[in-house]
Amino acid sequence: MQSKSPTPLYRQVYRLVRQVPPGRVVTYGQLARQLGCTPRTVGFAMAALPVGHDLPWQRVINSRGEVSRRTSGDGELIQRLLLESEGVVFDEKERVDLAVYGWELAEN
DNA sequence: AGGTTGACAAAGG
DNA sequence: GCCTTTGCCAACC
């Protein structure tokens, strides 16, 4: 039990993302709701991802079922390739069907 | 201690 | 169904 060192919020976000199996995706809103904070905070946690992480950040998308666009870099293109590599199919609008690939987070 | 930034979501037109 | 505006909270300087 973390006596007085509260686990940073983004640390909990990473744990939730790690529980997402390949071929499935989750939205920022879902993570935010599980963490009890706003989606903004979740997005911020992803933006603070350190280099050399083994976290499947590509499985985290927005509520529209589309990959988010970062302020810099071509990560959006890489993310789509990674998801397709896991079996996720994108439509002509570059969007994913959350009703099919949407993964439900565990309570814990 | 305060201000700025940031990978969003929901509602309205 | 698409586009625009508002609100949101936490980390970093």
Side-chain angles (χ1 to χ4, degrees):
Chain A
M1 314 267 288
Q2 309 69 359
S3 35
K4 56 175 167 213
S5 284
T7 310
L9 190 62
Y10 59 90
R11 196 59 99 188
Q12 300 193 19
V13 176
Y14 300 157
R15 183 179 295 192
L16 290 177
V17 177
R18 278 190 181 122
Q19 81 177 336
V20 179
R24 294 287 183 264
V25 292
V26 290
T27 67
Y28 299 92
Q30 287 179 282
L31 297 173
R33 229 155 137 168
Q34 283 295 336
L35 296 174
C37 59
T38 60
R40 274 277 188 190
T41 312
V42 178
F44 188 38
M46 311 304 290
L49 276 173
V51 280
H53 59 36
D54 50 345
L55 179 80
W57 56 274
Q58 59 259 29
R59 293 175 195 150
V60 184
I61 59 178
N62 56 23
S63 62
R64 296 188 279 188
E66 190 184 46
V67 293
S68 328
R69 227 173 156 193
R70 292 189 309 169
T71 51
S72 91
D74 49 344
E76 64 178 81
L77 183 61
I78 298 174
Q79 181 170 11
R80 179 175 151 199
L81 293 175
L82 287 170
L83 289 175
E84 287 183 321
S85 182
E86 292 184 348
V88 180
V89 180
F90 286 74
D91 58 359
E92 291 80 9
K93 293 173 192 157
E94 298 185 349
R95 295 211 317 211
V96 187
D97 189 347
L98 293 174
V100 178
Y101 299 102
W103 178 254
E104 188 175 350
L105 296 169
E107 293 78 29
N108 187 1

